[in-house]
Amino acid sequence: KAGVTQTPRYLIKTRGQQVTLSCSPISGHRSVSWYQQTPGQGLQFLFEYFSETQRNKGNFPGRFSGRQFSNSRSEMNVSTLELGDSALYLCASRSASGGKAGELFFGEGSRLTVL
Amino acid sequence: AQRVTQPEKLLSVFKGAPVELKCNYSYSGSPELFWYVQYSRQRLQLLLRHISRESIKGFTADLNKGETSFHLKKPFAQEEDSAMYYCALISVGSARQLTFGSGTQLTVLP
């Protein structure tokens, strides 16, 4: 099985711009979650999508949004970028049912630098 | 609300020494807990889950409901154990939300 794939791997933006990140989950996984990882804050949950619906949401401002398509692929968007948005954005997919619900499969991440 | 606390951001031990990474949780129901690991330049991945009562790469973790802890232990640390470790808890409800701790960077010194 192919793993979780994230694109782009690296990107540089300037303040005020917006960015869209993409994630393709493992085949058969209907749940996709997004996390922000920074050295100071660790791993922070952004949101989770399941069958095209946002199921859980973290404590991030409305500038951060996401969506999921019928093929389970997901995108997240950050508008009006700020310097503090510089981070590694991780996508993870899971089976989201039964005993496998706790096992997340992570992508390599998209490293965003905001100048 | 569920919460996971890892009190140590950084932990250094010498090779061959025992290591314990602390994790405490707050959850009103019966928890399911996990340890995830991220080695340098690798993806974050599941290390072990308390339900399985397994030992992975020599690591074990016991759920202590009285102390609401799920500490990760290894009797003899190896240099290849150096990594970032995250403790995580999953809610029991239909949403099954996973909550991570802030992580502990373990460095095993030669």
Side-chain angles (χ1 to χ4, degrees):
Chain A
K1 267 188 186 178
V4 176
T5 305
Q6 292 186 244
T7 57
R9 290 290 315 282
Y10 303 91
L11 65 167
I12 299 173
K13 294 284 187 179
T14 56
R15 277 183 302 174
Q17 286 187 308
Q18 73 160 15
V19 66
T20 299
L21 309 177
S22 180
C23 173
S24 292
I26 288 175
S27 177
H29 286 185
R30 293 162 63 191
S31 163
V32 174
S33 300
W34 288 90
Y35 293 84
Q36 183 193 66
Q37 187 179 37
T38 58
Q41 300 294 321
L43 201 61
Q44 292 192 286
F45 173 70
L46 281 153
F47 28 67
E48 179 188 14
Y49 286 86
F50 180 79
S51 293
E52 302 179 63
T53 302
Q54 188 180 87
R55 185 158 74 168
N56 293 307
K57 189 176 188 305
N59 191 27
F60 275 80
R63 299 186 297 109
F64 292 80
S65 63
R67 59 179 175 167
Q68 187 179 33
F69 303 95
S70 58
N71 61 359
S72 293
R73 191 177 70 84
S74 176
E75 289 181 347
M76 69 162 280
N77 184 275
V78 188
S79 62
T80 321
L81 284 166
E82 300 176 359
L83 295 179
D85 296 333
S86 294
L88 182 67
Y89 289 87
L90 294 174
C91 169
S93 73
R94 62 174 171 164
S95 173
S97 64
K100 294 288 186 182
E103 184 170 2
L104 289 176
F105 293 84
F106 284 86
E108 293 180 289
S110 292
R111 184 165 295 283
L112 170 65
T113 301
V114 182
L115 303 176
Chain B
Q2 59 200 59
R3 181 182 292 181
V4 178
T5 304
Q6 293 180 251
E8 303 142 328
K9 279 197 127 167
L10 303 170
L11 181 63
S12 294
V13 299
F14 285 100
K15 176 182 170 182
V19 62
E20 179 179 73
L21 291 91
K22 291 184 167 47
C23 171
N24 289 90
Y25 66 90
S26 170
Y27 184 61
S28 56
S30 188
E32 287 184 50
L33 288 142
F34 307 82
W35 277 99
Y36 278 78
V37 61
Q38 189 173 28
Y39 301 103
S40 179
R41 296 189 178 82
Q42 292 189 30
R43 303 178 187 220
L44 189 57
Q45 60 187 291
L46 178 67
L47 178 64
L48 56 78
R49 67 196 85 194
H50 93 270
I51 275 180
S52 303
R53 294 182 171 274
E54 56 204 344
S55 172
I56 303 292
K57 298 184 179 183
F59 283 99
T60 58
D62 291 320
L63 177 60
N64 185 324
K65 291 187 179 180
E67 296 182 358
T68 59
S69 68
F70 187 56
H71 303 328
L72 183 68
K73 300 177 185 179
K74 185 169 182 177
F76 308 103
Q78 302 299 314
E79 289 181 70
E80 56 265 29
D81 296 328
S82 295
M84 176 69 89
Y85 292 81
Y86 291 96
C87 182
L89 178 154
I90 191 168
S91 65
V92 176
S94 59
R96 302 288 273 166
Q97 182 173 345
L98 206 64
T99 300
F100 283 87
S102 53
T104 298
Q105 178 68 51
L106 173 66
T107 301
V108 181
L109 304 166

